[in-house]
Amino acid sequence: MVEAGAVSYLLDVTHPAGPTQLGRMLYPAYELHARLTEPARISSKLLHRTLSGLPAPVAQLAGTRRLKAISEIVAGARPTHVRPDWGIDAVTIAGESVEVAVRPVLTMPFATLLHFATSGVTGRTPTLLVGPISGHFATLLRPTVRTLLADHDVYVLDWHNARDIPVAEGRFGLDEYIDHVIAAMRHLGPDHHALAVCQPAPLVLAAVAVLAAANDPAQPRSLTLMAGPIDTRVNPNKINELAARRPLSFYERFLISRVPRQYAGAGRRVYPGLTQLTAFMSMNTRRHLSSYAQLYRALVAGDEATAERIRDFYDEYGAVMDVPAEFYLETLQHIFMEHDLPRGEFFWRGERVDPFVISRTALLTIEGAEDDMCSPGQTAAAHELCGGIPPEDHHHHLQPGVGHYGVFAGSRWNEEIYPVFRDFVATRSAARTAS
């Protein structure tokens, strides 16, 4: 798991002799830190508000601008557990601005299927977007959704924060994840297309295989896997090696915590989202410090466009969700350590999953040539597993010059990758209609 590699790196750096009782301390330490730093954040917020109300001559002084910039950064420098708003109120379709309404259409214990309904636009291809449960909310895929809406009727599995799910709702591991994906596919019916981004790629592939084995009419017309770990034995990277360096018991003992009693999910075992955020930031400390320095300079200079861009990124990056412990540990074990799916040993509800039975769903895999989280070849491995799909329904796209996030966000996604996906889906939709 990408998060496991990052956390393993963090533990190596901060605990050379091995951490002690770290798992139990995660939540208490976070909440103590939040309480201790809250006065500083409140004071900084009040100071920023005061400085913002000063008359123009004083407000333009260099010292005032610098102090105002520092106060804004300190006031906002904290993680949250609140899902950011999708912020997609309208999109451009066929050259015209169209309103978008985000509506829940299926609510399950651990996720809600959202429909991004476009007012007055009908007859478009239903597309199910499945994102990762990896410590950030599904809103991290906002750029992906916004682009997809130009041509597709978009549905998104919006995963819930495990911290807010009562223990009475039961466990949530790989079986339950696949259950949720299957439920979403059945809700959309036989004419939809599925798109899995990053971590869920092997699980969405497994869900399609389960439907195919049952000859279920809800099998999607096409399945697109983007930068996902189908087989991490292929071209292993540093993160893969770090994730496999320690036994599973290490991660369970030192990275799993229980939700405190003041939250709805009190007592639920989770991998805290804050742990992942800390680990990722520790791996790129210099880059994040540089970003904050750039934010400070932009605020002082009055460059609102640059400041807004950096603020938006960190508002999203700092919004974390807790991951159910079963899902985190089972993903680490079965996908990243034991490689069950490519070895033919992956099971769902006690039944072996065989992607070879898929024959009615076309397969597109997309990878970034510079991806250091999911190396090139790890997603393309799905084609060998899906030998039952006709050759003409296999397609692979390797995008030069992009890393992991560039596969599904940014200019390369918009201008070079998305057209590949759009045309692939359009061709399969036309072929099904003709038949």
Side-chain angles (χ1 to χ4, degrees):
M1 201 171 198
V2 170
E3 299 90 323
V7 171
S8 185
Y9 171 86
L10 176 65
L11 293 175
D12 283 342
V13 171
T14 58
H15 298 274
T20 304
Q21 303 297 327
L22 184 59
R24 296 183 194 175
M25 295 166 55
L26 290 174
Y27 248 109
Y30 162 63
E31 298 202 328
L32 175 61
H33 178 268
R35 287 196 296 270
L36 292 176
T37 56
E38 187 64 16
R41 287 194 296 271
I42 293 174
S43 299
S44 296
K45 187 175 182 179
L46 292 173
L47 177 59
H48 182 266
R49 185 180 302 170
T50 300
L51 294 174
S52 298
L54 292 175
V58 180
Q60 295 304 316
L61 293 174
T64 304
R65 295 200 306 271
R66 290 172 185 152
L67 187 57
K68 183 180 175 183
I70 293 173
S71 64
E72 177 177 335
I73 291 173
V74 173
R78 69 183 182 92
T80 70
H81 281 80
V82 179
R83 179 174 67 76
D85 187 76
W86 281 94
I88 304 177
D89 301 318
V91 293
T92 300
I93 300 176
E96 296 185 6
S97 179
V98 176
E99 291 184 1
V100 177
V102 184
R103 300 168 181 164
V105 294
L106 178 65
T107 300
M108 297 171 281
F110 290 83
T112 297
L113 181 63
L114 299 178
H115 181 207
F116 288 74
T118 47
S119 178
V121 181
T122 60
R124 302 201 304 158
T125 307
T127 301
L128 172 64
L129 175 62
V130 184
I133 301 181
S134 57
H136 283 98
F137 292 91
T139 51
L140 197 65
L141 297 177
R142 187 183 296 106
T144 318
V145 173
R146 187 180 293 278
T147 303
L148 289 172
L149 281 168
D151 303 283
H152 304 270
D153 188 17
V154 179
Y155 294 79
V156 175
L157 265 179
D158 191 24
W159 300 106
H160 301 164
N161 187 354
R163 191 185 74 170
D164 302 323
I165 304 174
V167 172
E169 294 290 355
R171 74 188 306 278
F172 186 85
L174 299 189
D175 283 348
E176 290 75 20
Y177 189 107
I178 293 172
D179 289 343
H180 279 58
V181 173
I182 290 174
M185 289 180 171
R186 285 176 173 159
H187 182 86
L188 294 183
D191 292 329
H192 79 280
H193 298 259
L195 169 60
V197 176
C198 189
Q199 177 207 70
L203 304 183
V204 177
L205 177 60
V208 175
V210 169
L211 292 175
N215 197 26
D216 195 305
Q219 297 171 66
R221 292 187 181 188
S222 75
L223 172 62
T224 300
L225 307 176
M226 301 178 67
I230 299 299
D231 189 351
T232 59
R233 298 174 301 176
V234 178
N235 193 18
N237 55 50
K238 183 178 180 181
I239 290 179
N240 300 144
E241 294 168 358
L242 286 170
R245 176 180 296 178
R246 303 178 188 274
L248 188 68
S249 59
F250 170 88
Y251 295 102
E252 181 170 16
R253 182 178 180 186
F254 296 122
L255 297 180
I256 301 302
S257 189
R258 289 192 182 273
V259 176
R261 60 185 178 183
Q262 65 265 38
Y263 301 109
R268 179 176 293 281
R269 297 174 72 236
V270 297
Y271 165 65
L274 184 69
T275 305
Q276 177 199 306
L277 180 65
T278 303
F280 275 144
M281 294 193 76
S282 71
M283 290 184 71
N284 297 283
T285 303
R286 185 170 299 178
R287 188 185 72 185
H288 290 295
L289 289 175
S290 176
S291 293
Y292 274 107
Q294 185 181 9
L295 174 59
Y296 170 77
R297 290 192 296 269
L299 290 170
V300 171
D303 182 358
E304 185 57 29
T306 299
E308 187 67 20
R309 175 176 56 79
I310 299 173
R311 272 196 301 256
D312 287 348
F313 173 82
Y314 280 104
D315 285 347
E316 187 74 53
Y317 199 65
V320 298
M321 59 181 286
D322 295 342
V323 178
E326 304 91 355
F327 177 78
Y328 175 80
L329 294 171
E330 289 176 15
T331 300
L332 184 57
Q333 177 183 0
H334 297 292
I335 304 300
F336 288 87
M337 290 181 170
E338 298 178 0
H339 315 286
D340 286 358
L341 189 62
R343 290 194 306 108
E345 297 296 329
F346 188 88
F347 287 81
W348 168 79
R349 299 294 180 190
E351 298 180 7
R352 192 171 72 87
V353 174
D354 183 8
F356 194 89
V357 301
I358 302 171
S359 61
R360 294 164 47 187
T361 300
L363 177 64
L364 167 65
T365 54
I366 299 175
E367 298 177 325
E370 307 300 325
D371 193 339
D372 59 356
M373 292 188 179
C374 186
S375 302
Q378 295 186 358
T379 309
H383 292 283
E384 184 175 349
L385 301 180
C386 298
I389 298 175
E392 64 270 20
D393 283 335
H394 285 268
H395 187 67
H396 176 66
H397 178 74
L398 178 65
Q399 179 63 44
V402 302
H404 190 70
Y405 294 102
V407 171
F408 56 88
S411 60
R412 293 290 185 89
W413 152 248
N414 288 325
E415 299 166 10
E416 301 180 45
I417 299 173
Y418 172 66
V420 173
F421 169 79
R422 179 195 62 210
D423 295 346
F424 178 80
V425 168
T427 300
R428 271 64 196 178
S429 294
R432 180 69 65 87
T433 302
S435 63

